[in-house]
Amino acid sequence: MRERLKQLGATELYSPLAVCLYILAYALPVTANFGLMVLAVLGALAAWSGGISAGAGPRRLWMPVATFVLVTLLTATVSVDVPRSFALSAALLPSVAICLLIAGGFTRRESVDWLLAAHLLVGGGISVAVAVALSRMGWRVPAGYENWIARVNCPLLVVSNDLAYLALLAPFAVALWMGGGWWRRVLAGSFLVSALLIAGVAQRRQVALLLLVMLAGMSLLLRPRWALVSAGAATALMLFIDVALGWPLTGRFELLWRAGEAGQTGLWDARLPIWSHAWQMFLAHPLFGQGPHTFSYTSVDGIQVSWAHNLYLETLAEQGVVGLASLVTLLGALLWQATKNWTRARTDDAPLAAALLTATVGILLGGLVEFTFLREWLTVLLFTVAGLLARQEILSGDLPGKK
C-alpha cells in the first residue's frame, strides 16, 4: 500500500493539507483543537507514505533548529514553574512539525502558493474581525491600557501589538502577487490593502513601522527603483486614514520620548522598567534562566506583564545564556540561509527568496521591542520560514514558475 501511496503522490497532498489546514484553524476561537488533530493525522499519513525527507535542503539549518528545541526542553526541566514552562512550550511542537512537513514534503511549487494563501487568509480574516470591532467603537481606539483587542475574540491576538503578525505577512503577499494568476493577485492585493488600513486605524506604532519596513524591503530587493514610491504610497494611505481620524497615530509617535496624557506613557517609560526586571532575572539565574514563559512583572500601576517586550532579553531571563545562545544561533542561521538563497535565486524564485529574507529581518527587528514566544503565531511563522528556507533549493528545481 505504501508503494501505491507513493504512486498517487500522497505526500504531495498530505503535507500541504496538514500544514495549511492547521494554519487556517489555529486562529479560530474554538476550544477543540481541530487543527492540531488534522496536523497529527495528515502528518502521520505523509510520513507513512514514505515521501518525507527531513534531510532535504541545506542541512546546516537542522542543527540550530534541533538545538533550540532541546534547549527549550532542558531549561523547562529546571524551571521555577515546571508545569507552566512545559505547558506553554508545547506550542513549539506543532511548529516544528510544520517545519519538517514543509522541508520534506512540499515537493511542488503550488504547495508553497497554498501555504502563503493560507497565511494570508488568516491575516485577512483577522483584518476583517479587527475592522468590525473598531467600527463598533466608532473607529476610536480607547486611551490608556484598555485591551480593546480582546473584543476581536481571536486566540492569536492577546494585545493590539500582535497585529504585527499582519506586517510580517506582507512579504508573503507580495511574493504571491508576483506569482501571477487572478486568484493570487486578488488575495494578495486584498490582504495588503486591509493590512494598511488596519495599521492606520488601530494606531499601533510598531505595527505601522514594521509594515512599512516590510514593504520597503521587498521593493528594495525586487524593484529597487520603486522602493521609495511603494513606501511613500503606503505611508500616504496610512496618513490619509490618520488625518480622517484626527491624527491619533501621529500623536502616538510623540509618546516615544515623553509621557503622554490620559493614562498614556512614553515607550521608554513603559519598556525600561520591564527590561531592567528581565536583566535582574538573568542575574539571578544566569546559566539556564528561570524557566521558559515564567517572566512576570508588575508595574507601579499594578498592571501585570507576562513578557519582556524584547525577545532577546526575555530569552536571557527565562533560559539564561544557554537559551540566548541557541536563539541567536537559530536566527543567525535563518538570516544566513535566507541571504544565500536570495543571492542565488533565479528570476522565478526571487519573490519567495526576497519574502523569506524580508520576513526574517522583520522577526529580528520585532524581537527588539515586542515579540515573545508566548504568541503561537510567532513560532508558526518562524518555523514556516525555516521550513521554506530548507526546501527552497529543491523547490527551485521542480516546476518552472512564472516570470
Side-chain angles (χ1 to χ4, degrees):
M1 186 174 179
R2 274 192 173 189
E3 294 301 319
R4 179 59 177 163
L5 286 172
K6 286 183 181 180
Q7 294 173 5
L8 291 173
T11 300
E12 296 178 3
L13 174 65
Y14 290 141
S15 294
L17 270 181
V19 174
C20 293
L21 288 177
Y22 179 81
I23 290 171
L24 290 172
Y26 86 137
L28 298 176
V30 294
T31 54
N33 204 330
F34 169 76
L36 187 58
M37 291 185 288
V38 169
L39 181 66
V41 172
L42 294 180
L45 287 172
W48 186 67
S49 67
I52 296 293
S53 175
R59 298 185 179 184
R60 65 184 64 85
L61 284 179
W62 296 130
M63 185 62 72
V65 168
T67 300
F68 177 77
V69 175
L70 290 175
V71 167
T72 300
L73 296 176
L74 172 64
T75 53
T77 62
V78 295
S79 170
V80 297
D81 190 344
V82 174
R84 174 179 173 84
S85 290
F86 274 107
L88 295 180
S89 297
L92 192 61
L93 300 180
S95 299
V96 173
I98 286 172
C99 178
L100 295 175
L101 286 169
I102 293 172
F106 276 47
T107 56
R108 302 171 62 197
R109 190 175 299 276
E110 288 85 348
S111 299
V112 175
D113 289 343
W114 298 348
L115 174 61
L116 302 185
H119 274 293
L120 297 185
L121 284 171
V122 171
I126 288 175
S127 296
V128 171
V130 171
V132 170
L134 287 170
S135 68
R136 292 173 177 172
M137 295 186 291
W139 303 103
R140 299 291 179 180
V141 174
Y145 292 105
E146 180 182 341
N147 191 21
W148 62 269
I149 204 70
R151 305 181 191 184
V152 179
N153 194 28
C154 174
L156 299 186
L157 304 179
V158 178
V159 294
S160 54
N161 278 335
D162 288 333
L163 292 171
Y165 175 50
L166 302 181
L168 292 178
L169 293 182
F172 290 174
V174 175
L176 193 65
W177 172 280
M178 298 188 71
W182 69 269
W183 72 267
R184 294 178 181 85
R185 292 192 169 175
V186 168
L187 178 58
S190 300
F191 170 81
L192 287 172
V193 171
S194 65
L196 285 167
L197 291 173
I198 292 301
V201 177
Q203 303 170 26
R204 304 315 303 165
R205 295 169 301 217
Q206 295 95 323
V207 177
L209 285 175
L210 186 58
L211 180 56
L212 291 177
V213 169
M214 294 296 94
L215 292 175
M218 287 296 288
S219 296
L220 283 171
L221 292 175
L222 297 173
R223 299 286 189 273
R225 294 181 181 179
W226 290 91
L228 290 177
V229 175
S230 61
T235 304
L237 177 58
M238 284 193 281
L239 283 176
F240 176 78
I241 298 170
D242 202 36
V243 171
L245 295 175
W247 302 99
L249 178 59
T250 306
R252 286 178 180 265
F253 279 96
E254 291 185 51
L255 302 178
L256 286 170
W257 310 109
R258 65 176 180 81
E261 299 175 357
Q264 301 279 7
T265 57
L267 175 68
W268 310 119
D269 294 331
R271 293 290 194 270
L272 289 179
I274 299 175
W275 294 345
S276 176
H277 181 71
W279 181 253
Q280 293 302 318
M281 285 178 57
F282 160 67
L283 294 179
H285 303 273
L287 188 57
F288 295 110
Q290 185 171 289
H293 311 305
T294 58
F295 181 88
S296 180
Y297 171 77
T298 304
S299 72
V300 293
D301 300 323
I303 298 173
Q304 297 286 336
V305 180
S306 57
W307 71 101
H309 293 74
N310 182 303
L311 184 62
Y312 312 105
L313 268 177
E314 182 174 297
T315 303
L316 187 64
E318 295 181 343
Q319 301 182 54
V321 292
V322 174
L324 181 62
S326 70
L327 174 63
V328 170
T329 301
L330 173 61
L331 295 178
L334 294 180
L335 183 61
W336 188 88
Q337 187 63 51
T339 304
K340 178 185 176 185
N341 287 5
W342 162 246
T343 56
R344 296 185 177 184
R346 302 179 310 184
T347 302
D348 52 340
D349 299 321
L352 178 60
L356 295 176
L357 177 55
T358 306
T360 301
V361 172
I363 292 172
L364 291 170
L365 293 176
L368 293 172
V369 293
E370 182 64 31
F371 291 172
T372 171
F373 286 127
L374 282 172
R375 307 292 186 263
E376 188 178 4
W377 60 262
L378 180 61
T379 58
V380 167
L381 199 56
L382 178 67
F383 283 95
T384 293
V385 170
L388 287 172
L389 286 173
R391 196 63 179 174
Q392 191 177 37
E393 291 183 3
I394 292 178
L395 287 171
S396 64
D398 285 344
L399 301 177
K402 298 182 180 181
K403 295 186 180 181

